[in-house]
Amino acid sequence: MNKKKQLVFVPAPGIGHLASMVEVAKNIINRYGDHLSITVLILKPPFHSSNLLDSYIHSLSTSITSIHFLPLSPPSSSPISSLDKVSIETFISVFVETNKTLIKDTITNLIMINPKSDESTNPVQLVGLVVDLFYTAVIDVGNELGVPTYLYFTSSAAFLGLMLHLPILHTQITTEFKDSDIELKIPSFVNSVPPSVLPQPLLNKKDDGYTWFVHHGRRFRETKGIMVNTFSDLEPYPLDSFLLDGQIPPVYPVGPLIDLKGQTQLQPDQTQYNTIMKWLDDQPPSSVILLCFGSMGSFDEQQVTEIAVGLERSGHRFLWSLREPAKTNLAIAGEYTNLEEVLPHGFLERTKGIGLVCGWVPQVSVLGHQAIGGFVSHCGWNSILESLWFGVPIVTWPLYAEQQVNAFEMVKELGLAVELRLDYRKGSSDNDLVVANEIERGVKYVMDMSGGNEVRKKVKKMREKSRKAVMDKDGSSYACLARLIESLIDGISK
C-alpha cells in the first residue's frame, strides 16, 4: 500500500509566528494535498490568555478542513515562576524544551508508530517535522523518530544570517556587544551592523535570552533545510551569503507568505471594522498615513502626546491604532475605553474629519485600501511584507524582538523605508522620547507624492516583484517550495 506522506508542523503560539507558518502549510496542501497531509501541533503555554489567539485557532479549525489542528495541553506547572522576570525568547525556549516528551508522544500516537517496528497500522508515513525558530528542541524529537526536521524562519533572511553567525561572534567578541566600539561584520549584511540594532537579549551576555539565541543559532545547522519567509528579489545578498558558507543547510525562500484574507486580523468588533473601512472609503487615494504597532505595540502617555502633536502639525490625514499598554510582558496590548483621557485636550475635536483614532485595526485590509499612502510601523517582518505587497512605504519605529534589525535592513541595506528611528526599543531606560518634530518630519517625507521620493519609487517596484515571486509561472518562491516538497515526496534530497 502506498502511504500518504505526513508533515507535522510545530509553531510557536505567538500570533505572528503561528499565522505565518499556517500560510506555508496552506500553500503546501493546496499544491500537494494528494500526496501530503499536515498536522499542526499547537502547544499553548499555561497561564496564556489571548482571546485573539484562541479565536484564531478556532477559526482555523473550522475553516481549513484539509489541515488538522491539534491543541496540546501541557502540565500547568512551569519551570519559570514569573513571566515578568524573563524574556519572551527564554520563556518559549524553556517551555518547549520542557515539553519535548509530550510532543514526541503526541506525534507517535498520531502517526501510530511502533518504535519496535518499521511498520505502521496507519497508511500514513511521517516524512518530516517543521519547527519554529525558537523550537529547535524539537530537532531531538525528529532524530528520535528517525525523520528530518526543517526550520521555518518567520523573519528575514538577513536576521537568519545573524542568528547563524552569532555563535561565531560569541567567540570572537569577548566584551558585551553593547560595549563594543566596533560595528559587527555579519555575512548576511552588506553594511557593518551597529550593536544598537541587535535584539535586546543580545546586548547583555549574562541575559538568559542571549544564551538561548546562541543555542538556537547553533542548532539551525542541524536541520535538513530552512524555509524563510522572504523572496530572492527582496534579499539576494543574504541568500547568496548562505551558499558561500558551505555548512548551512539548504535555505528555501518561500515568501512572501501573507494572510490576505485577513484571518490573522480577526474582527473583535464588527462595528469598529465597518467604521474604519467606511472612513477610508471617504478619503482621497494615497492620502492617509497609517500608524499601527502590532499586537504588543503601545506607548506611555508622554509619547502618545508627542505622536498626536506631530500628526496634527503634519497636516496629513491619519488612521492611528492607539493601544493600551499590556499588564505583563507576554500579553497583547489592550483597548482604551476612553481615548480622550490619554490624548491631548481637544485633539480629537481639532482633527475631526482628517484623522481617525481607534484601537484594533484590520491591518491587511487597511494596507490594501487605496486611501493609504504611508505606514508608521513597528517593523515586524509580517507587517513589512504586507506593506511591500501593497506598495505602501514604511516609516520605521521598531519596538521589540528583532524589529530594530528589520528597520536597519529596510533603511540602510535596501532603501525601502524612511528612517524615524532604528534603535528605539520599548521599555528601555536609555530610550529618549521620539518628539513631535521627528514624527512630523517622517510623516511629511513618506507622504511626499511629488515624484521625487526614491523610497516610494523603490517600494512600488518591489510590490510587483513580491507578487511575481509566488506566481505559479516563473515565481522564484513558488519553484523553491516545489523543490523542497518534491524531495520529501520522493524521499530523496535534492
Side-chain angles (χ1 to χ4, degrees), residues 452-467:
N453 190 324
E454 292 301 318
V455 170
R456 185 170 290 279
K457 290 178 182 179
K458 288 184 176 181
V459 169
K460 184 177 180 180
K461 291 179 180 178
M462 195 57 68
R463 174 186 184 273
E464 303 310 314
K465 292 178 179 179
S466 72
R467 294 171 180 237

Side-chain angles (χ1 to χ4, degrees), residues 75-86:
S76 57
S77 61
S78 169
I80 298 176
S81 59
S82 173
L83 296 183
D84 291 323
K85 295 181 179 179
V86 300

Side-chain angles (χ1 to χ4, degrees), residues 273-437:
Y273 174 85
N274 292 337
T275 298
I276 292 169
M277 300 312 292
K278 173 62 170 64
W279 185 84
L280 287 173
D281 289 342
D282 294 337
Q283 310 309 314
S286 302
S287 66
V288 176
I289 181 86
L290 168 67
L291 295 89
C292 188
F293 301 94
S295 60
M296 299 175 69
S298 61
F299 300 98
D300 61 28
E301 289 193 23
Q302 186 180 15
Q303 186 62 76
V304 168
T305 296
E306 294 296 323
I307 296 172
V309 173
L311 284 175
E312 192 169 359
R313 287 179 182 171
S314 78
H316 283 283
R317 299 171 188 268
F318 62 87
L319 173 59
W320 180 8
S321 174
L322 177 57
R323 310 296 297 279
E324 184 178 29
K327 307 303 181 192
T328 68
N329 67 351
L330 288 182
I332 64 172
E335 302 291 315
Y336 282 108
T337 55
N338 187 350
L339 290 171
E340 290 184 346
E341 292 181 354
V342 68
L343 290 166
H345 179 70
F347 174 78
L348 291 176
E349 183 63 30
R350 291 193 303 274
T351 57
K352 187 177 181 180
I354 68 165
L356 179 63
V357 183
C358 54
W360 164 91
V361 298
Q363 184 171 290
V364 172
S365 299
V366 169
L367 285 173
H369 198 285
Q370 64 175 359
I372 298 298
F375 181 19
V376 180
S377 172
H378 64 306
C379 298
W381 189 245
N382 289 336
S383 293
I384 286 174
L385 293 178
E386 290 164 8
S387 73
L388 294 176
W389 182 270
F390 292 112
V392 178
I394 279 179
V395 180
T396 63
W397 194 335
L399 301 180
Y400 48 84
E402 89 292 6
Q403 293 162 12
Q404 291 80 16
V405 174
N406 295 343
F408 176 82
E409 181 185 16
M410 287 292 288
V411 172
K412 301 298 185 181
E413 298 278 294
L414 304 177
L416 288 171
V418 175
E419 177 181 350
L420 178 61
R421 290 290 180 92
L422 299 183
D423 57 1
Y424 184 96
R425 55 187 75 244
K426 182 180 177 181
S428 171
S429 59
D430 298 330
N431 236 23
D432 57 334
L433 200 66
V434 180
V435 298
N437 287 344

Side-chain angles (χ1 to χ4, degrees), residues 128-326:
L129 308 179
V130 180
V131 301
D132 182 83
L133 68 105
F134 291 118
Y135 273 34
T136 60
V138 184
I139 295 172
D140 298 330
V141 176
N143 291 339
E144 291 173 16
L145 295 176
V147 296
T149 301
Y150 293 82
L151 182 74
Y152 180 70
F153 199 81
T154 52
S155 191
S156 69
F159 182 55
L160 170 62
L162 189 158
M163 289 195 69
L164 286 164
H165 192 63
L166 185 59
I168 299 172
L169 286 177
H170 174 67
T171 60
Q172 289 178 340
I173 302 177
T174 57
T175 61
E176 299 285 4
F177 289 138
K178 64 182 176 64
D179 297 329
S180 174
D181 58 357
I182 60 171
E183 296 192 339
L184 306 174
K185 292 297 295 181
I186 299 170
S188 57
F189 287 83
V190 176
N191 299 286
S192 298
V193 178
S196 62
V197 303
L198 295 177
Q200 182 69 36
L202 299 190
L203 300 181
N204 181 3
K205 291 186 176 182
K206 298 181 180 65
D207 190 312
D208 286 340
Y210 175 86
T211 303
W212 280 110
F213 265 99
V214 174
H215 173 79
H216 292 309
R218 287 195 183 104
R219 298 220 67 184
F220 287 176
R221 295 175 182 266
E222 300 175 37
T223 60
K224 184 73 171 179
I226 302 173
M227 288 181 277
V228 58
N229 191 9
T230 190
F231 53 103
S232 57
D233 281 330
L234 177 61
E235 295 190 280
Y237 188 88
L239 293 169
D240 286 345
S241 74
F242 301 142
L243 299 175
L244 298 175
D245 184 286
Q247 296 182 335
I248 296 175
V251 175
Y252 302 90
V254 295
L257 294 165
I258 302 170
D259 183 7
L260 293 173
K261 294 183 179 179
Q263 288 180 324
T264 62
Q265 312 293 330
L266 294 172
Q267 302 166 14
D269 186 338
Q270 186 65 42
T271 300
Q272 180 170 303
Y273 174 85
N274 292 337
T275 298
I276 292 169
M277 300 312 292
K278 173 62 170 64
W279 185 84
L280 287 173
D281 289 342
D282 294 337
Q283 310 309 314
S286 302
S287 66
V288 176
I289 181 86
L290 168 67
L291 295 89
C292 188
F293 301 94
S295 60
M296 299 175 69
S298 61
F299 300 98
D300 61 28
E301 289 193 23
Q302 186 180 15
Q303 186 62 76
V304 168
T305 296
E306 294 296 323
I307 296 172
V309 173
L311 284 175
E312 192 169 359
R313 287 179 182 171
S314 78
H316 283 283
R317 299 171 188 268
F318 62 87
L319 173 59
W320 180 8
S321 174
L322 177 57
R323 310 296 297 279
E324 184 178 29

